Amino acid sequence: MWFKNLYLLRLSSDFDLTPEALHEALESKPFLGCGNELREASGWVSPFGRNNEQLVLATNGCMLLTLAHQEKLLPASVVREELDTLVADIEEKEARKIGKREKQDLRDEIEFELLPKAFTRTKKMDAWLDLPNSWMIINSSSNTPAERLTHLLRNTLGSLPVAPPKTDMSPAVLMTQWLADDHTLPAPFTLGEACELKGQGEAKSVATFKRHELMAEEVQANLAAGKTVSKLALIWADKISFVLTEDLGVRQVRFLDVLADNLKDADPQSRAEKLDIEFTLMTGEVTLMLADLMQCFTAEPEPEPA
């Protein structure tokens, strides 16, 4: 269950919710699937998998929940082929042209008829609420699925006071400083082996480096030419590697061997126990990492005048 991406949102510091209250709220909007008529549907399922009624895993003030989203796979090409055939038949039989609005109505009728026969695809997405540290973290690399989860959770709870984290410094500016050869990263961060650099102005050129020494001459030459860092691979405390993006996204997260060794030493005896241990390890380390990361973006206070 290790998260591969960290979509970061800040919770209001006065937001309060117990695991029991969260479980009860999630029960009001369970995942039921699309049925015959719906194009898509979302609801809450157990993080522990099928045949488990527990909708929340709680440890050390963090609460894990899981969204299931199902959609019907109805290819546009299939609908278009059916529509073209139907329009051609009507125009030939009635000797008239089909207008735009009528064509849309016919399209809707075709989709309604085909939906019950369509295949479905179901995806699950985890998130956790960290109330002591005012974080909501979603295992997503893009806005659309993350917003789907927050929208449903807001409807489920009645309110969800979250907002993107604020920083004193632009991530792109700070990452560019880190990568410049006369700057060093604050401990315990070290450079990884990948970055993306974006040019300014109308050209918007992009230079991507993978499995590359980032202090190498070609990287520094791109920085000297005016490019800024939009993505940067980092390693935190030799425990977590990730790619930081210019919009403060944490992508391609990998929990390194030291955490895997901790899990092995714990020797879980069941799937539920394994999930509990993984969640405890993950949230504990990510919480510390995020504290260090956000500290990097906090401006130093001005010295008091003598």
Side-chain angles (χ1 to χ4, degrees), residues 13-301:
S13 59
D14 60 357
F15 182 70
D16 190 24
L17 190 68
T18 65
E20 294 76 19
L22 178 58
H23 172 86
E24 184 176 347
L26 298 182
E27 282 186 315
S28 69
K29 293 190 181 297
F31 174 67
L32 301 175
C34 293
N36 287 332
E37 297 182 359
L38 294 178
R39 188 70 181 262
E40 60 181 357
S42 298
W44 305 109
V45 297
S46 172
F48 294 95
R50 293 181 179 180
N51 304 319
N52 195 306
E53 297 181 356
Q54 185 176 343
L55 297 178
V56 178
L57 170 57
T59 181
N60 297 331
C62 295
M63 296 179 284
L64 177 70
L65 59 152
T66 303
L67 173 82
H69 178 76
Q70 187 176 87
E71 58 183 343
K72 293 285 184 68
L73 301 179
L74 193 57
S77 58
V78 173
V79 176
R80 185 166 55 249
E81 183 176 347
E82 291 284 333
L83 179 62
D84 290 344
T85 300
L86 182 57
V87 167
D89 287 344
I90 294 175
E91 290 183 341
E92 181 179 350
K93 290 178 182 178
E94 301 182 9
R96 65 182 182 89
K97 293 290 291 182
I98 298 292
K100 185 176 181 180
R101 179 174 296 181
E102 185 178 358
K103 185 177 291 187
Q104 182 59 52
D105 291 340
L106 291 172
R107 182 189 298 274
D108 293 341
E109 291 176 10
I110 291 170
E111 290 187 358
F112 183 78
E113 292 175 0
L114 292 178
L115 274 178
K117 306 173 187 177
F119 291 104
T120 59
R121 176 175 59 193
T122 304
K123 294 183 178 181
K124 295 181 180 179
M125 183 167 52
D126 296 320
W128 87 73
L129 301 173
D130 179 356
L131 271 59
N133 297 288
S134 301
W135 284 111
M136 178 175 181
I137 301 174
I138 305 172
N139 188 7
S140 176
S141 61
S142 61
N143 293 342
T144 300
E147 289 173 355
R148 180 185 297 126
L149 188 146
T150 57
H151 177 74
L152 181 61
L153 188 57
R154 183 173 290 106
N155 287 343
T156 301
L157 299 177
S159 67
L160 183 65
V162 293
K166 295 181 179 180
T167 61
D168 294 334
M169 298 183 66
S170 159
V173 170
L174 187 58
M175 289 190 294
T176 302
Q177 291 180 358
W178 285 345
L179 203 54
D181 56 8
D182 59 343
H183 287 79
T184 57
L185 273 73
F189 293 99
T190 55
L191 283 177
E193 297 182 327
C195 70
E196 179 184 272
L197 311 177
K198 286 185 178 179
Q200 307 302 304
E202 296 181 2
K204 298 293 184 183
S205 58
V206 177
T208 302
F209 297 89
K210 295 181 179 180
R211 298 182 182 178
H212 202 89
E213 168 56 52
L214 298 188
M215 301 309 294
E217 182 179 347
E218 54 266 43
V219 178
Q220 297 302 316
N222 276 276
L223 291 174
K227 289 187 175 69
T228 58
V229 180
S230 54
K231 296 179 182 179
L232 182 63
L234 298 170
I235 301 171
W236 173 79
D238 294 326
K239 293 182 179 181
I240 302 174
S241 69
F242 62 96
V243 173
L244 184 64
T245 68
E246 60 187 339
D247 58 354
L248 208 60
V250 180
R251 310 286 185 254
Q252 302 175 36
V253 178
R254 291 180 59 244
F255 296 89
L256 304 180
D257 292 342
V258 62
L259 295 183
D261 292 342
N262 290 341
L263 177 62
K264 185 177 180 180
D265 292 341
D267 190 25
Q269 300 300 305
S270 67
R271 179 181 177 182
E273 186 178 348
K274 181 174 183 289
L275 180 66
D276 193 1
I277 295 170
E278 287 179 344
F279 186 54
T280 301
L281 287 171
M282 178 176 67
T283 54
E285 297 297 340
V286 168
T287 297
L288 296 175
M289 185 196 79
L290 290 179
D292 287 342
L293 183 63
M294 296 306 293
Q295 183 63 38
C296 295
F297 293 97
T298 301
E300 293 288 339

